[in-house]
Amino acid sequence: MKKINFIFLILLLFQGCGRNVQKDLENIIADYQQQGKRIVMTSKEKHFVIYQNENALWINNLDEPERILLSSDSIMTKITFTMGFSKNGMPSIEQSYDQIKLEKYVFQDHMTSNFRLLDDNTIAFTHQYSEPNPWDPDGEDEIVWKDEYVYYLSKPDTVFFSRISPKIDILQNTRQDKVGLYVNYLAQAIDGSFSYGSVDGGIFEWNFDINEYGQIAQTNEIEYHNEETDVSMNFYLSDFSSKIQAQNVLTKIEKALDISFRKKIEEERKEQINSLIEESLTLEELSEIFANPIKAKKEYIGKTITISCKLEAIKEANGFFDKNGYKYKICCFALEAFGEWIDGYDLVGYTNDENFVDLSYPKKVVVKAILTSGTRRKFEFKDCELLAW
């Protein structure tokens, strides 16, 4: 009996060796194409063909009877990964489950163009749809959404919603996915009772790997980024292994945000100053205007103008010698010798703006004020307001 079984095994081996699998595959593909069936994807490694027949995808692996793989009537379990934080500040990846019918998601016009074979066990497909833009007052604009899904032949009743365009790591036999969590206040997300005051919100993104059965195989870096400040920081799961370490993460983020905020404010201030300087007049330019005193007085005396200059000093205004109603006068003086102007221009401005008191003189400033008198070399202003320094 053992001898008969051994001979039978030898015959099977010879039969398998004599079979040209690739040729069989090519013949089946040609046959399906003659029947008008659309070939969706093929695997030469595992010698199967997936084709469209009406509103269904069929698979033929040459060794078993062909069968329906996915159809418009397929009721699937949709698994979505989400991210959260425990009370101790520990990040976690959770799974939510929904029952969906594939007709709604992928079996539409030209549906097969959405399918692609990632490897011999994994299929990805895209569901693209649009909806009215709620921020468009005319209701004509639309928002286009493009969702990615992953289907494993080894897990035939389940589809996975993916946050990124799926790709397979051939060496590790895994694909990468990620979960994201947007929070308005970081301290509330990780620890509602731990207040950091100035810590603003941001986005946590956590990359992880999934094996061929849709199970989380390995978790990788957690990235935090804040789009308003361009702050981006990477952390590992071990950085959140205790409540104290989670709070340390928030402290690091707070410091980075604080530096970025201050840098951004300083850059905005510099841009504002440069813009004000471009729009303002210098004393030299004002002097050139007063080369035509009649026209200059008509156009500028009594008008509010913006002037950029270098102030030499601030003094308390004396009502007897100066304009009444003002606390201070700001000055820059030209040099004069033997009645001849050597350099610069005289400027006297009257103000109640306390911001001038806090400056260290001499100081280059941009001032908005009303011009009360002017010549080629001397100018007097009132209602001076400090704009930039």
Side-chain angles (χ1 to χ4, degrees):
M1 186 67 179
K2 291 182 179 179
K3 185 176 181 181
I4 295 173
N5 289 337
F6 178 75
I7 294 172
F8 181 70
L9 180 60
I10 294 295
L11 290 174
L12 286 178
L13 289 174
F14 272 109
Q15 184 180 0
C17 292
R19 183 182 179 186
N20 190 333
V21 175
Q22 297 303 323
K23 187 64 176 178
D24 290 346
L25 196 63
E26 292 172 5
N27 290 337
I28 289 176
I29 292 173
D31 185 43
Y32 285 149
Q33 288 174 337
Q34 272 191 341
Q35 297 176 34
K37 296 175 181 177
R38 186 174 183 182
I39 304 300
V40 177
M41 55 193 70
T42 62
S43 169
K44 292 183 179 180
E45 183 69 26
K46 291 194 174 180
H47 49 83
F48 65 72
V49 181
I50 298 176
Y51 64 92
Q52 179 188 357
N53 186 8
E54 296 181 350
N55 285 333
L57 295 185
W58 289 68
I59 183 169
N60 187 336
N61 67 1
L62 306 186
D63 297 323
E64 299 174 0
E66 55 187 341
R67 59 181 174 84
I68 291 178
L69 187 65
L70 298 168
S71 75
S72 58
D73 296 326
S74 297
I75 304 297
M76 311 292 289
T77 298
K78 172 189 170 186
I79 297 181
T80 304
F81 295 103
T82 55
M83 180 181 178
F85 284 95
S86 69
K87 292 182 179 180
N88 292 325
M90 188 73 179
S92 62
I93 298 176
E94 300 174 356
Q95 300 181 30
S96 59
Y97 300 84
D98 298 295
Q99 295 296 313
I100 64 170
K101 193 173 182 180
L102 286 187
E103 181 181 20
K104 178 182 177 182
Y105 287 83
V106 292
F107 284 90
Q108 302 165 349
D109 294 338
H110 308 294
M111 63 90 185
T112 51
S113 62
N114 292 328
F115 285 84
R116 60 193 184 278
L117 195 65
L118 300 183
D119 63 12
D120 291 324
N121 181 60
T122 315
I123 297 172
F125 61 87
T126 303
H127 175 219
Q128 184 169 307
Y129 59 98
S130 60
E131 58 186 21
N133 186 346
W135 296 279
D136 178 24
D138 300 325
E140 297 177 357
D141 189 24
E142 289 187 335
I143 299 176
V144 178
W145 302 99
K146 189 175 181 181
D147 293 342
E148 296 281 354
Y149 290 88
V150 178
Y151 173 79
Y152 296 98
L153 299 183
S154 53
K155 203 169 179 65
D157 299 325
T158 306
V159 292
F160 293 85
F161 178 78
S162 178
R163 302 285 178 182
I164 57 178
S165 184
K167 293 181 181 179
I168 295 294
D169 185 331
I170 298 175
L171 296 177
Q172 299 296 326
N173 195 27
T174 59
R175 71 172 179 88
Q176 193 177 81
D177 208 329
K178 70 178 178 181
V179 287
L181 178 67
Y182 174 80
V183 292
N184 289 319
Y185 300 99
L186 300 178
Q188 289 181 358
I190 294 181
D191 183 357
S193 63
F194 193 83
S195 176
Y196 282 77
S198 64
V199 177
D200 202 351
I203 299 174
F204 287 97
E205 288 187 344
W206 189 359
N207 294 322
F208 56 97
D209 295 335
I210 296 177
N211 65 19
E212 60 180 332
Y213 300 101
Q215 300 166 334
I216 297 175
Q218 180 182 356
T219 57
N220 303 315
E221 289 183 334
I222 298 175
E223 179 185 353
Y224 165 82
H225 58 93
N226 184 300
E227 294 180 356
E228 293 183 5
T229 60
D230 292 328
V231 169
S232 181
M233 304 176 71
N234 290 332
F235 300 98
Y236 294 96
L237 194 58
S238 58
D239 294 324
F240 298 87
S241 58
S242 69
K243 191 172 184 177
I244 293 176
Q245 285 184 292
Q247 292 170 349
N248 290 338
V249 168
L250 288 187
T251 301
K252 291 178 182 178
I253 293 175
E254 181 188 38
K255 289 180 179 179
L257 288 176
D258 186 52
I259 292 172
S260 181
F261 275 128
R262 279 185 282 153
K263 183 179 178 181
K264 186 177 181 181
I265 290 172
E266 183 62 25
E267 289 175 352
E268 289 176 351
R269 180 175 171 273
K270 288 180 180 179
E271 289 179 5
Q272 182 185 22
I273 291 173
N274 292 335
S275 177
L276 289 170
I277 290 174
E278 289 179 4
E279 296 172 0
S280 65
L281 292 170
T282 64
L283 292 178
E284 290 82 1
E285 290 169 337
L286 201 58
S287 175
E288 291 179 5
I289 291 171
F290 272 86
N292 185 341
I294 298 175
K295 183 178 179 181
K297 287 178 181 179
K298 286 182 179 181
E299 293 184 0
Y300 287 89
I301 299 299
K303 304 293 177 61
T304 299
I305 65 173
T306 303
I307 192 84
S308 59
C309 60
K310 183 179 181 181
L311 295 179
E312 301 293 338
I314 183 172
K315 300 179 180 180
E316 291 184 353
N318 185 318
F320 184 79
F321 296 103
D322 303 311
K323 288 185 182 297
N324 288 321
Y326 292 97
K327 293 182 182 180
Y328 313 108
K329 66 177 180 180
I330 49 178
C331 321
C332 66
F333 301 110
L335 302 176
E336 185 178 12
F338 307 108
E340 297 292 331
W341 290 101
I342 299 174
D343 180 40
Y345 307 85
D346 272 349
L347 177 149
V348 175
Y350 294 93
T351 183
N352 292 321
D353 188 348
E354 295 289 343
N355 291 315
F356 287 99
V357 179
D358 296 329
L359 298 179
S360 298
Y361 295 89
K363 177 70 72 175
K364 291 183 178 180
V365 296
V366 180
V367 178
K368 183 172 73 173
I370 297 174
L371 181 63
T372 58
S373 65
T375 64
R376 289 296 302 274
R377 294 291 183 178
K378 294 185 178 181
F379 305 96
E380 186 176 278
F381 296 89
K382 68 175 183 178
D383 293 349
C384 296
E385 178 186 348
L386 183 62
L387 297 182
W389 61 96

